[in-house]
Amino acid sequence: MTGSRVLTALRYGVASALALLFLLPLYVIVRNAFSTNANITAARWNWLPDQVNLTNLQSLLANDSIGIVRALTNSAVMAVLQTSGTVVVSLLAGYALARFTHRASRILLGLTIFTLMVPAATTFVPMFIITAQLGWIDTFRGLVVPGMFSAFATYLFRQFFLDFPSELEDASLIDGCNMWTSFWRIVVPNSTGIIAAVGTIVLIGSWNAFLWPTLVGRDATRTVQVALSQFMTSQGVRYPELFMGTLVAVLPMLLVFLFLQRFLVQGLTTSGLR
């Protein structure tokens, strides 16, 4: 009994130490967001900020060349649209790959898994050329549509639907529903866990996207990640505003994660990725 308690205490101790380690970057962001440039770049590290006020936030909001409020709005619009589109497309594709087991379905599944092995950066050039030819540069269509097709999200949905009880669908078909009605009225309402999990992953990924919005976005569709990069110039780095902007950009996703974390764990557990 004593050995079991010691082992439990050891596990909690290791978990707490790892939690503190992973929270260290967030602490640095908060500390620097409320510090002056001299305190941030000082040779001696100070654990506490030297100005606990909103001076850096006021400076950030007053900077019209950055336009942080508009950038946050653009990121929110892009993230919500891309998450909604990705969930719908991947939900349908994953269900089809799970329910249709003929040869063509297996080939499509293999191709889907194969795309996971292709580095995303290698697809940016052809995607950019297609986007430019469609006239989608500096539009939300250019930011959202290319990112709506996710092989990873499709695979997660497919794994979940493999374990979904088909008896529920058979019962609805006997009651007179067609396959489409059965999917939307029976399958989808009972898949909220995996939908929330995939939605959370896609939402955080869309919000944090940098390279694609840098290529496609311009002044009208500049996202918050691109806006923050403007604090780093050839003349130097404006650390106080950069870290305050980073803190402002992190908070929305932190709240989303705290609210949806139980769905994220539940969805990944039931999808077969144990």
Side-chain angles (χ1 to χ4, degrees):
M1 193 67 177
T2 303
S4 177
R5 290 181 178 178
V6 171
L7 183 60
T8 301
L10 182 61
R11 289 176 178 175
Y12 277 106
V14 173
S16 300
L18 290 176
L20 291 175
L21 180 63
F22 285 112
L23 286 174
L24 183 60
L26 182 61
Y27 155 74
V28 174
I29 292 174
V30 175
R31 179 257 186 192
N32 290 347
F34 294 96
S35 297
T36 61
N37 190 72
N39 188 48
I40 296 173
T41 58
R44 183 177 180 180
W45 175 262
N46 296 312
W47 288 98
L48 297 177
D50 58 344
Q51 58 170 30
V52 186
N53 54 51
L54 300 180
T55 301
N56 292 339
L57 179 61
Q58 294 171 354
S59 176
L60 175 69
L61 296 176
N63 194 327
D64 295 331
S65 62
I66 301 297
I68 191 67
V69 175
R70 184 174 183 178
L72 287 168
T73 303
N74 290 340
S75 288
V77 172
M78 184 194 77
V80 170
L81 292 177
Q82 190 170 94
T83 300
S84 302
T86 301
V87 167
V88 172
V89 172
S90 301
L91 182 69
L92 293 170
Y95 181 77
L97 291 174
R99 287 293 179 264
F100 303 124
T101 57
H102 47 73
R103 184 178 180 182
S105 177
R106 292 194 294 271
I107 294 175
L108 289 175
L109 175 61
L111 292 175
T112 301
I113 296 176
F114 175 75
T115 60
L116 294 174
M117 306 176 189
V118 179
T122 62
T123 64
F124 281 173
V125 172
M127 283 172 55
F128 179 80
I129 294 174
I130 295 173
T131 302
Q133 290 177 343
L134 291 173
W136 289 358
I137 300 298
D138 200 21
T139 66
F140 283 108
R141 288 173 295 177
L143 289 174
V144 172
V145 174
M148 285 173 50
F149 309 97
S150 171
F152 180 68
T154 300
Y155 183 74
L156 286 182
F157 278 121
R158 188 253 181 188
Q159 292 300 108
F160 172 80
F161 288 131
L162 286 177
D163 295 329
F164 190 89
S166 58
E167 292 80 7
L168 294 177
E169 301 168 66
D170 296 336
S172 66
L173 295 176
I174 294 174
D175 289 338
C177 296
N178 56 36
M179 191 171 186
W180 186 255
T181 304
S182 176
F183 174 74
W184 288 109
R185 293 190 177 183
I186 303 298
V187 177
V188 173
N190 289 282
S191 307
T192 53
I194 187 64
I195 291 174
V198 173
T200 303
I201 295 172
V202 175
L203 182 66
I204 294 176
S206 300
W207 182 271
N208 292 331
F210 175 74
L211 184 54
W212 182 250
T214 301
L215 295 174
V216 177
R218 298 292 185 270
D219 293 335
T221 56
R222 182 185 296 129
T223 62
V224 65
Q225 310 300 337
V226 179
L228 291 177
S229 68
Q230 294 183 292
F231 289 117
M232 297 179 289
T233 65
S234 58
Q235 286 74 35
V237 181
R238 294 149 62 184
Y239 289 109
E241 292 180 350
L242 174 61
F243 279 102
M244 178 57 72
T246 303
L247 179 61
V248 171
V250 165
L251 286 178
M253 290 301 101
L254 181 61
L255 295 176
V256 168
F257 178 78
L258 292 177
F259 180 71
L260 295 177
Q261 62 175 333
R262 67 185 184 93
F263 295 104
L264 180 63
V265 174
Q266 175 188 352
L268 293 179
T269 302
T270 57
S271 66
L273 297 183
R274 297 180 176 87

